[in-house]
Amino acid sequence: MSINGRNNNTDFYNECTARDTEGGETTPLIGNGSVQTRATGASFTSSVFNLMNAIMGSGILGLAYAMSNTGIVGFCILLILVSSLAAYSIHFLLRLCDQTGINSYEDLGGKAMKKTGKIMVGIAIVIQNIGAMSSYLFILKSELPAAIHSFLRPEDTGNAWYEDGRLLLILVAVCVILPLSMLPKIGFLGYTSSLAFLFMLYFAVVIVVKKWSIPCPLPYNVTTLSDTFKVSNFSDSECTPKLFIISVKSAYAIPTMAFSFLCHTTVLPIYCELERPTKARMQNISNISIGLSFLLYFISALFGYLTFYSHVDSELLLGYDAYLPQDIMVMTVRLAILISVLLTVPLIHFPARKSVILLLYGGRDFSWLIHIVSTLTILSVVLMLAIFVPDLSNVFGVVGSTTSSCLLFVFPGVFYLKISNQPLRSLDSVGAILLVVFGLIMGVISLSVIVVTWVESP
């Protein structure tokens, strides 16, 4: 058994080496009594930052709203459940990598369900990541001019070029996103990912600090910019946190949390480039990344909820805009979140490009021409969607609810059941079945929530 494991692990090294040695330094690697070469890997720390950056995005803005619809204890239970299942599904992916020597999500689909599985996974990754990138750029297009405007004096505003969201988006895409997306290895993004993590940490700190800047009951009017409020007629009972809340809106919480932990399309590329790649080492990276993300998610959601209670906005920062419109910390944290979202786009782009190349060109050696053409094509599509499509939520809401649940829960469970030779009554097989069932339920709930939202919207 140990001999098979060693051979499969060597196959994994060879697979990574074949695809990632272009332009990189090499270090000796011992396998089957011979010395092999492999590109110098990414460090443990940079891999943690990259995976955290893939996990944490604009979803952090909606978790306080989820807590207001589930209660503090209910939110904790659901967040622990979803984060644990996300880590468990990563465990299946990494275990299958070690068993088969395959280093890509798409090829695992091919191993489990032949060409159909490979195409299904590839299409799901491309759609999910293009949707995520488009939504992030859409946020930048609408919020970046407002963020810049908040730092300027009223007399300095007008028809300035920096108030055109589309022009700003093109400049940012060309000057920042494109150069970072052109990098051939995902490990190079560790520095930008660490910066994005610091911005998310700053966001959590500001949410905690501003808990004591807005009184409760909530004010309904701001008379000056010095925090002089008129007190509303809300009752003091609205300032009491709820432990459990069950309502129709509670159904929104599970999809929001699940999407907030979706990082599975980047796990295997990070694993492949990791220095001294082993399942245990990558599992530790995943656990640390999910654990730190869980901590920041919970702190920001808790203090955001304890600031606004039942009046939490679906996008948390909008509440602070209403009650602290010229607060310097709120303005800087909005800009920090936008920069963090901006730095996440190249990281999401990497697995999308990898899927496109794998589906169109197979497992051929690295080619700069294919790399550049694929990068420009994907970014052009994403940029056109963000600029010209007025509302992305309807299209990618439906597609995202299905592809996200498949990538996060359904595919890892199904692939493990198809590839692994474990009996169905074994612990991992039962866990894989439960993971698939949970993913299907989450997909149905997500789709139902979107349909109900469409029906209820004016």
Side-chain angles (χ1 to χ4, degrees):
M1 192 70 181
S2 60
I3 294 176
N4 291 334
R6 184 182 304 165
N7 288 336
N8 287 334
N9 199 38
T10 303
D11 291 340
F12 177 80
Y13 288 149
N14 292 336
E15 185 76 11
C16 291
T17 303
R19 298 187 181 184
D20 296 320
T21 52
E22 182 73 21
E25 299 177 4
T26 59
T27 53
L29 214 134
I30 306 298
N32 290 338
S34 61
V35 178
Q36 305 166 4
T37 58
R38 180 178 177 271
T40 301
S43 68
F44 187 95
T45 303
S46 67
S47 298
V48 169
F49 281 131
N50 273 336
L51 194 56
M52 280 196 66
N53 194 20
I55 294 172
M56 303 190 70
S58 58
I60 195 173
L61 300 175
L63 289 176
Y65 181 75
M67 182 177 285
S68 70
N69 292 318
T70 56
I72 296 177
V73 175
F75 179 88
C76 289
I77 294 174
L78 289 176
L79 196 66
I80 291 172
L81 175 65
V82 172
S83 61
S84 300
L85 289 177
Y88 193 41
S89 61
I90 290 175
H91 157 76
F92 284 129
L93 290 179
L94 298 179
R95 187 165 181 179
L96 289 175
C97 281
D98 277 4
Q99 287 182 4
T100 62
I102 293 174
N103 77 316
S104 76
Y105 208 152
E106 300 88 343
D107 286 335
L108 283 178
K111 178 75 173 178
M113 303 170 66
K114 304 194 181 301
K115 188 175 181 179
T116 302
K118 183 176 182 178
I119 294 175
M120 285 174 55
V121 175
I123 292 175
I125 290 176
V126 172
I127 292 176
Q128 168 64 32
N129 288 11
I130 286 180
M133 287 188 287
S134 300
S135 63
Y136 283 177
L137 293 187
F138 195 85
I139 292 172
L140 287 170
K141 183 185 75 172
S142 59
E143 296 293 337
L144 193 54
I148 295 175
H149 184 274
S150 65
F151 287 95
L152 302 175
R153 295 175 298 178
E155 58 268 21
D156 294 334
T157 60
N159 295 321
W161 63 270
Y162 48 77
E163 293 188 350
D164 187 342
R166 291 174 297 180
L167 179 58
L168 281 178
L169 186 58
I170 293 173
L171 288 175
V172 166
V174 172
C175 298
V176 180
I177 297 176
L178 180 59
L180 292 176
S181 299
M182 281 293 182
L183 295 174
K185 296 181 67 177
I186 200 170
F188 292 145
L189 297 174
Y191 299 105
T192 58
S193 295
S194 61
L195 184 61
F197 167 72
L198 291 178
F199 286 145
M200 288 293 182
L201 183 61
Y202 176 61
F203 172 84
V205 170
V206 170
I207 299 303
V208 173
V209 171
K210 290 304 172 182
K211 159 70 178 75
W212 289 272
S213 297
I214 299 177
C216 192
L218 288 175
Y220 66 85
N221 189 28
V222 182
T223 58
T224 69
L225 297 181
S226 59
D227 296 346
T228 302
F229 297 104
K230 291 181 181 178
V231 179
S232 72
N233 293 322
F234 295 138
S235 64
D236 290 337
S237 62
E238 293 198 0
C239 299
T240 303
K242 306 295 191 297
L243 298 182
F244 284 100
I245 299 174
I246 299 177
S247 67
V248 175
K249 291 184 178 181
S250 300
Y252 287 77
I254 295 179
T256 302
M257 293 177 189
F259 300 157
S260 297
F261 285 101
L262 179 59
C263 60
H264 295 52
T265 58
T266 57
V267 166
L268 299 186
I270 291 174
Y271 184 22
C272 188
E273 293 187 9
L274 178 64
E275 185 181 17
R276 303 191 309 276
T278 63
K279 178 186 179 299
R281 188 171 167 81
M282 189 62 209
Q283 189 69 60
N284 287 336
I285 290 173
S286 302
N287 294 341
I288 292 172
S289 301
I290 290 177
L292 290 175
S293 300
F294 176 94
L295 187 62
L296 289 183
Y297 279 158
F298 178 73
I299 291 174
S300 57
L302 176 63
F303 282 89
Y305 171 63
L306 294 178
T307 302
F308 300 104
Y309 295 94
S310 60
H311 300 282
V312 175
D313 200 282
S314 58
E315 186 181 326
L316 182 58
L317 288 178
L318 293 179
Y320 297 96
D321 289 343
Y323 298 109
L324 302 173
Q326 294 296 319
D327 185 272
I328 188 64
M329 290 186 72
V330 174
M331 291 190 295
T332 54
V333 81
R334 175 178 288 278
L335 189 60
I337 288 294
L338 290 176
I339 296 175
S340 179
V341 166
L342 169 65
L343 297 178
T344 304
V345 173
L347 195 66
I348 301 176
H349 177 276
F350 189 94
R353 179 182 61 216
K354 186 171 179 288
S355 289
V356 169
I357 293 176
L358 198 61
L359 290 175
L360 296 181
Y361 303 101
R364 61 186 297 172
D365 293 338
F366 181 87
S367 167
W368 272 109
L369 178 61
I370 294 175
H371 178 86
I372 293 172
V373 170
S374 301
T375 300
L376 292 175
T377 301
I378 293 173
L379 281 183
S380 298
V381 171
V382 170
L383 195 58
M384 298 289 273
L385 287 172
I387 291 176
F388 295 108
V389 177
D391 187 6
L392 295 169
S393 59
N394 290 343
V395 177
F396 287 115
V398 174
V399 176
S401 65
T402 52
T403 58
S404 296
S405 59
C406 287
L407 292 169
L408 188 59
F409 301 118
V410 177
F411 286 163
V414 170
F415 295 169
Y416 183 81
L417 293 172
K418 293 283 288 185
I419 297 174
S420 176
N421 55 5
Q422 296 293 320
L424 285 178
R425 293 185 179 181
S426 66
L427 183 62
D428 275 343
S429 295
V430 172
I433 293 172
L434 294 177
L435 202 63
V436 173
V437 172
F438 183 84
L440 293 175
I441 293 174
M442 197 208 77
V444 171
I445 292 176
S446 303
L447 199 58
S448 302
V449 165
I450 293 170
V451 172
V452 170
T453 302
W454 286 352
V455 173
E456 291 181 348
S457 62

